Amino acid sequence: MTETHTWSYDGTELAWLQAALERPGQRAGHVVGELVPGGFGAYLRVFHRFDASDGSGRTRSWRERAEAAGRPFHAEMSHGPLLQDADGPDADVRWLADSGQPDVGTRRALARCLGRVTGEQPVLFAYDLAALLWGAPEPLVRCSALAGLDSSRPFVAAEVGLDAEYEEITGPEFWWPEDRSWVVTSDYDLLSTYVGCSAEAAALILADDGIEALPVTPGTRVDFAADDANSR
């Protein structure tokens, strides 16, 4: 989880957000409140799509994988039981989802929905893990229009002295508008992104065909053991 970093956020643009997060150990397992601050009108889990490992380019939603595995589709589900079919034509295919960031289509759809409530105000894109791994003294934060989401990664790569297309630059882990009316968090250990926002923004996200999402609460568990605890 992101809170295991050893550096200080004091004096950085991430200080307000880190101070607002729940500390681990306050509830069973790890929960949404450790990733997204409290006080929002709605919270969502945005699932990262599964890709087939056979090179076919096929993708599947979590709901589709849950149906194939005979598992309930719910807000605390884990990926483990969804990786492979027990039988059928895809029994030899493993299904993999990206850790730490949503696929491009989901990310752009999410930005499109949030843009409808954010308007033209600046948005901040914070890179935490990449900055830590590549020796930056503090998290790297890019401020731009929401449309600058895709161009923020080359900026970060340049800041740490890497090629703009360097594949190990993941993130942003956090992005939020200047008025802090929503926060998006993609933790590098997780296969889903979590959003705190208004009820209006949540309704737009849930209605978008390019996004697979479910409502959650700050107490919804995000750790992989949650599914075993709640799906029996």
Side-chain angles (χ1 to χ4, degrees):
M1 304 293 293
T2 303
E3 71 280 352
T4 60
H5 291 185
T6 57
W7 60 9
S8 173
Y9 294 97
D10 294 344
T12 74
E13 290 171 296
L14 267 174
W16 75 273
L17 194 151
Q18 292 294 328
L21 298 180
E22 291 187 24
R23 302 277 73 82
Q26 293 182 226
R27 310 182 195 230
H30 292 285
V31 298
V32 172
E34 296 172 40
L35 302 169
V36 184
F40 290 103
Y43 293 82
L44 299 173
R45 176 180 180 178
V46 176
F47 296 89
H48 302 175
R49 290 187 66 86
F50 283 98
D51 295 308
S53 62
D54 60 1
S56 64
R58 291 178 297 164
T59 64
R60 293 289 185 272
S61 68
W62 283 63
R63 184 183 293 276
E64 288 170 331
R65 294 302 307 140
E67 291 175 353
R71 303 281 292 190
F73 178 64
H74 63 98
E76 292 184 331
M77 69 187 309
S78 177
H79 67 293
L82 312 184
L83 295 180
Q84 197 160 3
D85 293 336
D87 51 32
D90 290 333
D92 295 330
V93 176
R94 285 182 63 81
W95 296 86
L96 306 175
D98 283 338
S99 176
Q101 57 190 340
D103 58 273
V104 173
T106 296
R107 186 171 70 245
R108 290 177 178 172
L110 185 57
R112 181 176 64 247
C113 291
L114 292 171
R116 292 174 63 183
V117 298
T118 301
E120 298 301 319
Q121 67 176 293
V123 174
L124 293 94
F125 305 104
Y127 289 77
D128 194 6
L129 179 62
L132 182 64
L133 288 177
W134 301 108
E138 61 184 34
L140 295 170
V141 180
R142 173 78 162 175
C143 183
S144 73
L146 187 53
L149 171 60
D150 288 338
S151 63
S152 62
R153 189 177 302 172
F155 159 81
V156 170
E159 286 291 302
V160 296
L162 298 174
D163 184 272
E165 301 302 322
Y166 195 77
E167 293 182 356
E168 291 189 29
I169 294 291
T170 61
E173 284 92 359
F174 305 98
W175 30 304
W176 67 92
E178 192 173 53
D179 66 3
R180 302 178 183 175
S181 58
W182 49 261
V183 171
V184 177
T185 300
S186 299
D187 189 281
Y188 56 87
D189 281 335
L190 302 179
L191 304 181
S192 293
T193 289
Y194 291 85
V195 182
C197 59
S198 66
E200 176 190 2
L204 292 172
I205 293 168
L206 290 169
D208 194 292
D209 291 339
I211 303 171
E212 182 177 36
L214 284 176
V216 294
T217 72
T220 300
R221 284 177 60 176
V222 303
D223 56 286
F224 296 153
D227 202 9
D228 290 338
N230 293 285
S231 292
R232 295 174 182 172

